[in-house]
């Protein structure tokens, strides 16, 4: 029986690469999109043309009830979730001086509360079945901090605290919980940064002299989802071209 993988935010740059990789490996892949996203249908048909028959559900990952309803529907339609990739995320960058409460809250809710909201309805089932993979997509900026990102760095660092604590609780039950901390990857989130800032400030910080590729992160997600990764838990794996080494 194919395992079911639920990838939040699968229509974004990184999430799409993760969906494609997991599907290619034989997982039944389900993803989510924000309830207001009008491009979901066209993304699904585009993927279908490429041979990927994904299912997608509207879900505001920052909202507890929306997340519970989404997982219930997925389980009813497709089956219990074996692999959860908490990938959906946003940035609202501004210096702390300008940071207001709505932009703080939006980033905390979408990047950190979402991890609780989505993990809560799948974790007990994984424990009962004795197998599960929870993979949280954090960021290099959660590890080292970043100018203008007090909200994002706090949320992304918080994700790894969650990973470590939950990993301890479920370690004996065949469920692993890990964090991936990508550096700058060439997705829309990064391409929205003005090109002069990318060229003069960001690329020079990366020893490999280039942005990462979504497929490179997807390969790591695939590994952590696999049988071979059964002994990896509570880890925070950096994938950043050498930008930050711990
Ligand atoms: P994108 O902006 O391309 O994709 C983000 C995804 O998150 C979209 O699919 C979006 O769905 C979804 N999303 C946002 N808010 C919500 C919400 N409230 N409910 C449900 N879904 C939501 O970003 P990336 O693909 O680049 O980033 C993916 C993850 O990787 C993020 O967590 C990001 O922080 C992290 N990351 C990215 C890096 C990079 O360099 N790109 C580096 C390090 C970490 P919709 O469009 O439907 O709203």
């Amino acid at each position: 029986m194919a395992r079911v993988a639920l990838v939040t935010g699968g229509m974004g740059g990184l999430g799409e690469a993760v969906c494609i990789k997991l599907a290619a490996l034989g997982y039944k892949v389900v993803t989510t999109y924000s309830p207001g996203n009008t491009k979901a249908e066209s993304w699904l048909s585009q993927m279908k043309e490429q041979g990927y028959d994904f299912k997608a559900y509207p879900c505001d990952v920052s909202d507890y009830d929306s997340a519970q309803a989404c997982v219930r529907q997925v389980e009813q339609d497709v089956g219990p979730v074996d692999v959860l990739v908490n990938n959906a995320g946003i940035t609202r960058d501004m210096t702390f001086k300008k940071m207001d409460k709505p932009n703080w809250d939006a980033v905390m809710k979408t990047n950190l509360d979402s991890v609780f909201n989505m993990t809560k309805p799948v974790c007990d089932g994984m424990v009962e079945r004795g197998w599960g993979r929870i993979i949280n997509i954090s960021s290099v900026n959660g590890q080292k901090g970043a100018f203008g990102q007090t909200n994002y760095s706090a949320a992304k660092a918080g994700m790894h605290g969650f990973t470590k604590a939950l990993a301890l609780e479920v370690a004996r039950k065949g469920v692993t919980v890990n964090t991936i901390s990508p550096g700058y990857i060439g997705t829309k989130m990064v391409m929205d940064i003005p090109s002069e800032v990318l060229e003069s400030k960001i690329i020079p910080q990366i020893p490999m002299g280039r942005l990462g590729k979504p497929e490179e992160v997807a390969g790591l997600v695939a590994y952590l989802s696999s049988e071979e990764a059964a002994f990896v838990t509570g880890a925070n794996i950096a994938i950043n071209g050498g930008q930050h080494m711990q």
Side-chain angles (χ1 to χ4, degrees), residues 7-16 19 31-34 61 85-89:
V7 180
T8 64
M11 298 183 188
L14 241 167
E16 180 181 295
C19 289
T31 190
T32 68
Y33 56 94
S34 293
V61 295
V85 184
N86 283 311
N87 164 75

Side-chain angles (χ1 to χ4, degrees), residues 3 12 21 35-38 41 48 68 71 100 102 114 135 160 194:
R3 294 202 190 274
K21 180 71 182 178
N37 185 339
T38 51
E41 283 307 318
K48 197 146 197 182
Q68 310 317 295
V71 172
D100 54 11
S114 61
I135 299 162
H160 190 55

Side-chain angles (χ1 to χ4, degrees), residues 8-16 32-35 37 59-63 86-91 110-111 137-140 152 156 159 180-190:
T8 64
M11 298 183 188
L14 241 167
E16 180 181 295
T32 68
Y33 56 94
S34 293
N37 185 339
C59 176
D60 177 356
V61 295
S62 69
D63 180 84
N86 283 311
N87 164 75
I90 56 168
T91 49
T110 309
N111 295 277
I137 306 296
S138 178
S139 165
V140 64
Y152 187 78
K156 293 300 194 185
M159 284 174 105
I180 292 177
S181 289
Y184 287 88
I185 311 296
T187 68
K188 187 178 169 301
M189 186 181 265
V190 166

Side-chain angles (χ1 to χ4, degrees):
M1 267 281 278
R3 294 202 190 274
V4 174
L6 172 57
V7 180
T8 64
M11 298 183 188
L14 241 167
E16 180 181 295
V18 170
C19 289
I20 287 175
K21 180 71 182 178
L22 294 179
L25 290 170
Y27 294 83
K28 245 192 251 176
V29 178
V30 178
T31 190
T32 68
Y33 56 94
S34 293
N37 185 339
T38 51
K39 296 187 188 139
E41 283 307 318
S42 70
W43 182 85
L44 281 168
S45 43
Q46 228 179 306
M47 287 293 117
K48 197 146 197 182
E49 277 166 25
Q50 293 177 37
Y52 301 105
D53 195 11
F54 298 134
K55 275 196 182 313
Y57 293 82
C59 176
D60 177 356
V61 295
S62 69
D63 180 84
Y64 183 76
D65 292 337
S66 176
Q68 310 317 295
C70 170
V71 172
R72 262 200 309 276
Q73 198 60 49
V74 169
E75 297 203 324
Q76 206 172 305
D77 296 351
V78 189
V81 175
D82 300 301
V83 177
L84 171 66
V85 184
N86 283 311
N87 164 75
I90 56 168
T91 49
R92 295 285 182 273
D93 296 355
M94 59 202 71
T95 57
F96 187 66
K97 199 175 171 59
K98 293 186 186 146
M99 181 72 65
D100 54 11
K101 183 84 167 100
N103 282 303
W104 171 268
D105 286 344
V107 167
M108 294 304 284
K109 283 184 180 163
T110 309
N111 295 277
L112 184 58
D113 288 13
S114 61
V115 175
F116 172 77
N117 295 343
M118 296 302 296
T119 305
K120 188 71 184 158
V122 303
C123 188
D124 285 353
M126 289 177 175
V127 166
E128 275 158 30
R129 295 188 301 279
W131 201 95
R133 300 284 187 263
I134 297 166
I135 299 162
N136 297 320
I137 306 296
S138 178
S139 165
V140 64
N141 292 343
Q143 298 178 296
K144 67 172 195 51
F147 189 96
Q149 288 196 326
T150 49
N151 51 1
Y152 187 78
S153 297
K156 293 300 194 185
M159 284 174 105
H160 190 55
F162 174 96
T163 289
K164 290 187 286 186
L166 184 60
L168 287 174
E169 293 184 22
V170 297
R172 284 174 181 269
K173 307 291 182 185
V175 180
T176 67
V177 191
N178 290 290
T179 302
I180 292 177
S181 289
Y184 287 88
I185 311 296
T187 68
K188 187 178 169 301
M189 186 181 265
V190 166
M191 295 330 239
D192 282 348
I193 300 171
S195 60
E196 62 278 11
V197 176
L198 261 184
E199 293 300 330
S200 66
K201 297 229 161 73
I202 292 177
I203 306 275
Q205 293 173 30
I206 306 172
M208 286 192 186
R210 67 168 175 89
L211 297 175
K213 299 176 189 156
E215 296 74 23
E216 291 168 333
V217 179
L220 185 49
V221 173
Y223 168 67
L224 290 174
S225 305
S226 71
E227 298 299 337
E228 291 93 323
F231 204 51
V232 181
T233 199
N236 185 359
I237 304 183
I239 176 162
N240 61 32
Q243 186 191 350
H244 180 69
M245 303 179 190
Q246 274 190 326

